[in-house]
Amino acid sequence: SAGDQRLTSDSATSADPSLAWTGGNLGVAWEDNRDGRFEIYFARTDSSGNKIGADLRLTNATGDSEAPSLVWTGTEYGITWYDSTPGNFETYYARLDSVGNPVPGGEVRLSNASGFSEWPNIAWTGEHFGVVWSDARGGEYEVFFATVKCCGNDQDADTFGACDDCDDLEPAANPGETEVCD
C-alpha cells in the first residue's frame, strides 16, 4: 500500500464518494457543502490518487444534492444522485465527458414520486445505463429500476453520440443535417 491521499481540503463536509476507473485514471464524485448546501463535485486522479486538475461542481440546486454514484462507459461517465429541490428527494442522472464536464443536454430527473427516491446506483451494460434507487412512494421503501439509453458512443463518426443522433449508424442522419420529409 502506498498510503492514503487526501483528495478534498476545505472547511466543509465532503462525503459519500464514488469512484470509477477509466483504464488510465480514476474519476471521483462526492457530495460537499462548501457552498452552504450539499452539491455534487467531481475530480480526476491518476492511479496513485494524485489529483488531476481542479474540483468541478456538477450541481447547483436550491436543495441538497447527495449520494452520487459514478460509472465509466469507455468514453464518458454516467452519474446519478438524489436532490431535495422538488420538495422531497428525487433521483437524477447526467452524463459527463472524459474529464468530468457535463455533456450538453443537462441532467435528467429519473423519479417523480410522493415519497423519497434516494440512494441511487448506476451501472453501464455496454449499451445503456441501468439505475436503481430506494423509493418510498408507497409508504415503504422498495427498489426501483430505470434504463437510460444514453451514451456518447458515436458509431457513425459524425460527432453526435447515440443520445443525440436519431440514427447512429448513418452519418448523414444527425441533428446537424437539414430535415427532409420522407
Side-chain angles (χ1 to χ4, degrees):
S1 169
D4 56 7
Q5 300 276 27
R6 185 171 182 170
L7 296 180
T8 60
S9 192
D10 58 68
S11 61
T13 299
S14 301
D16 292 326
S18 181
L19 189 65
W21 174 247
T22 68
N25 58 54
L26 294 158
V28 184
W30 68 95
E31 65 185 61
D32 194 304
N33 69 350
R34 69 180 79 171
D35 300 311
R37 64 183 170 276
F38 282 103
E39 299 292 352
I40 305 301
Y41 280 80
F42 175 90
R44 292 183 310 137
T45 74
D46 64 19
S47 62
S48 297
N50 300 305
K51 203 178 256 189
I52 303 168
D55 297 348
L56 299 173
R57 182 174 169 179
L58 300 180
T59 59
N60 190 14
T62 58
D64 288 322
S65 299
E66 301 179 45
S69 178
L70 186 67
V71 69
W72 175 251
T73 69
T75 58
E76 66 183 17
Y77 296 94
I79 188 168
T80 59
W81 67 94
Y82 65 86
D83 189 292
S84 67
T85 299
N88 64 323
F89 287 118
E90 297 295 346
T91 295
Y92 290 80
Y93 153 86
R95 293 167 43 222
L96 309 175
D97 67 17
S98 62
V99 296
N101 297 307
V103 172
E107 62 191 45
V108 175
R109 183 173 166 179
L110 296 178
S111 65
N112 189 9
S114 58
F116 287 178
S117 301
E118 52 194 352
W119 305 111
N121 201 327
I122 189 169
W124 174 247
T125 70
E127 295 179 9
H128 59 268
F129 295 100
V131 180
V132 293
W133 65 91
S134 297
D135 196 303
R137 68 181 72 175
E140 297 291 327
Y141 277 95
E142 301 293 342
V143 176
F144 281 74
F145 171 85
T147 297
V148 183
K149 295 182 179 180
C150 206
C151 64
N153 297 338
D154 182 12
Q155 297 181 49
D156 59 11
D158 63 1
T159 72
F160 294 94
C163 293
D164 308 308
D165 200 334
C166 58
D167 183 353
D168 201 36
L169 298 176
E170 175 56 51
N174 65 61
E177 294 297 324
T178 304
E179 182 70 31
V180 294
C181 182
D182 54 351

